[in-house]
Amino acid sequence: QVHLVESGGGLVQPGGSLRLSCAASGFPFSLTVMSWHRQAPGKERELVARISTNGIRTNYADSVKGRFIISRDNAKNTVYLQMNSLKPEDTATYYCQRYGFDSDWGQGTQVTVSS
Protein backbone atom coordinates (compact mmCIF):
# COMPACT_ATOMS: atom_id res chain seq x y z
CA GLN A 1 0.00 0.00 0.00
CA VAL A 2 1.36 3.39 -1.00
CA HIS A 3 2.26 5.57 1.96
CA LEU A 4 3.52 9.15 1.74
CA VAL A 5 4.42 11.21 4.80
CA GLU A 6 5.25 14.88 4.39
CA SER A 7 7.03 16.88 7.08
CA GLY A 8 9.05 20.04 7.64
CA GLY A 9 6.43 22.73 7.26
CA GLY A 10 5.92 25.61 9.63
CA LEU A 11 5.67 29.35 10.04
CA VAL A 12 8.38 31.44 8.40
CA GLN A 13 8.85 35.11 7.62
CA PRO A 14 9.04 36.38 4.04
CA GLY A 15 12.51 35.76 2.66
CA GLY A 16 13.06 32.77 4.90
CA SER A 17 13.64 29.13 4.05
CA LEU A 18 12.17 25.73 4.82
CA ARG A 19 13.10 22.21 3.81
CA LEU A 20 10.25 19.78 3.31
CA SER A 21 10.65 16.01 3.36
CA CYS A 22 8.47 13.23 2.03
CA ALA A 23 9.06 9.69 3.24
CA ALA A 24 7.68 7.12 0.80
CA SER A 25 6.91 3.43 0.99
CA GLY A 26 4.80 0.77 -0.68
CA PHE A 27 6.18 1.13 -4.20
CA PRO A 28 9.55 1.00 -6.02
CA PHE A 29 10.63 4.51 -5.16
CA SER A 30 13.78 4.54 -7.29
CA LEU A 31 11.72 3.69 -10.39
CA THR A 32 9.13 6.39 -9.80
CA VAL A 33 9.00 10.02 -10.90
CA MET A 34 8.08 12.11 -7.87
CA SER A 35 6.54 15.54 -7.53
CA TRP A 36 5.54 18.21 -5.03
CA HIS A 37 2.20 20.00 -5.13
CA ARG A 38 0.56 22.67 -3.04
CA GLN A 39 -2.94 23.86 -2.34
CA ALA A 40 -3.99 27.14 -0.78
CA PRO A 41 -7.51 27.80 0.52
CA GLY A 42 -9.87 28.55 -2.35
CA LYS A 43 -7.34 27.55 -4.98
CA GLU A 44 -6.74 24.46 -7.06
CA ARG A 45 -3.94 22.08 -6.25
CA GLU A 46 -0.84 23.21 -8.13
CA LEU A 47 2.14 21.25 -9.40
CA VAL A 48 5.24 22.85 -7.89
CA ALA A 49 8.14 20.63 -8.90
CA ARG A 50 8.94 17.26 -10.45
CA ILE A 51 12.03 15.09 -10.37
CA SER A 52 13.16 12.16 -12.48
CA THR A 53 13.90 8.74 -11.06
CA ASN A 54 17.64 9.36 -10.75
CA GLY A 55 17.27 12.99 -9.72
CA ILE A 56 19.04 14.41 -12.74
CA ARG A 57 16.08 16.05 -14.46
CA THR A 58 13.86 18.51 -12.61
CA ASN A 59 10.95 20.75 -13.55
CA TYR A 60 9.45 23.69 -11.69
CA ALA A 61 6.41 25.89 -11.85
CA ASP A 62 7.26 29.37 -13.06
CA SER A 63 6.18 30.78 -9.72
CA VAL A 64 8.96 28.96 -7.84
CA LYS A 65 11.79 28.79 -10.39
CA GLY A 66 15.03 30.04 -8.94
CA ARG A 67 13.74 29.75 -5.38
CA PHE A 68 12.82 26.09 -4.82
CA ILE A 69 14.95 22.98 -5.35
CA ILE A 70 13.58 19.46 -5.52
CA SER A 71 15.90 16.56 -4.75
CA ARG A 72 15.73 12.91 -3.75
CA ASP A 73 17.66 10.26 -1.88
CA ASN A 74 16.73 6.89 -3.31
CA ALA A 75 18.61 5.06 -0.56
CA LYS A 76 16.25 6.68 1.97
CA ASN A 77 13.08 6.59 -0.16
CA THR A 78 12.75 10.31 0.46
CA VAL A 79 12.09 13.33 -1.73
CA TYR A 80 12.85 16.86 -0.55
CA LEU A 81 11.79 20.38 -1.39
CA GLN A 82 14.18 23.14 -0.39
CA MET A 83 12.20 26.38 -0.30
CA ASN A 84 14.16 29.64 -0.32
CA SER A 85 13.20 33.30 -0.55
CA LEU A 86 9.71 32.43 0.58
CA LYS A 87 6.84 34.74 -0.23
CA PRO A 88 3.39 35.08 1.35
CA GLU A 89 1.88 33.60 -1.81
CA ASP A 90 3.79 30.38 -1.09
CA THR A 91 1.47 29.79 1.86
CA ALA A 92 -0.27 26.47 1.27
CA THR A 93 -0.44 22.85 2.26
CA TYR A 94 2.32 20.96 0.47
CA TYR A 95 1.97 17.38 -0.72
CA CYS A 96 4.26 14.91 -2.42
CA GLN A 97 3.06 12.48 -5.06
CA ARG A 98 4.04 9.67 -7.31
CA TYR A 99 3.83 11.91 -10.34
CA GLY A 100 0.55 11.36 -12.17
CA PHE A 101 -1.13 9.32 -9.43
CA ASP A 102 -3.71 11.84 -8.30
CA SER A 103 -5.49 9.38 -6.01
CA ASP A 104 -2.51 8.90 -3.70
CA TRP A 105 -1.72 11.73 -1.30
CA GLY A 106 -0.18 12.02 2.11
CA GLN A 107 -1.55 14.21 4.87
CA GLY A 108 0.43 17.20 3.64
CA THR A 109 2.48 19.70 5.60
CA GLN A 110 1.42 23.29 6.18
CA VAL A 111 3.68 26.15 5.13
CA THR A 112 2.75 29.63 6.28
CA VAL A 113 4.77 32.64 5.14
CA SER A 114 3.86 35.73 7.11
CA SER A 115 5.34 38.66 8.97
Side-chain angles (χ1 to χ4, degrees):
Q1 189 172 37
V2 173
H3 195 207
L4 301 167
V5 181
E6 300 93 341
S7 62
L11 175 64
V12 63
Q13 293 185 338
S17 298
L18 286 172
R19 190 191 192 214
L20 308 183
S21 298
C22 172
S25 62
F27 62 95
F29 181 82
S30 63
L31 302 178
T32 305
V33 177
M34 298 295 294
S35 56
W36 282 96
H37 305 248
R38 66 187 182 186
Q39 187 167 29
K43 295 185 177 180
E44 295 183 349
R45 190 165 296 190
E46 173 190 20
L47 174 64
V48 173
R50 184 177 64 199
I51 188 166
S52 62
T53 57
N54 59 11
I56 294 176
R57 294 189 297 275
T58 57
N59 301 93
Y60 299 93
D62 287 342
S63 58
V64 307
K65 284 181 179 177
R67 299 189 298 119
F68 291 10
I69 301 171
I70 188 171
S71 62
R72 66 192 297 162
D73 186 339
N74 286 347
K76 296 181 178 179
N77 282 8
T78 301
V79 61
Y80 305 94
L81 187 67
Q82 178 66 45
M83 310 166 67
N84 301 316
S85 301
L86 283 162
K87 304 175 180 179
E89 50 262 46
D90 295 318
T91 296
T93 302
Y94 284 72
Y95 304 87
C96 64
Q97 186 201 54
R98 297 184 297 162
Y99 181 70
F101 289 77
D102 290 342
S103 296
D104 297 328
W105 302 100
Q107 82 287 350
T109 185
Q110 177 66 38
V111 173
T112 302
V113 185
S114 176
S115 298

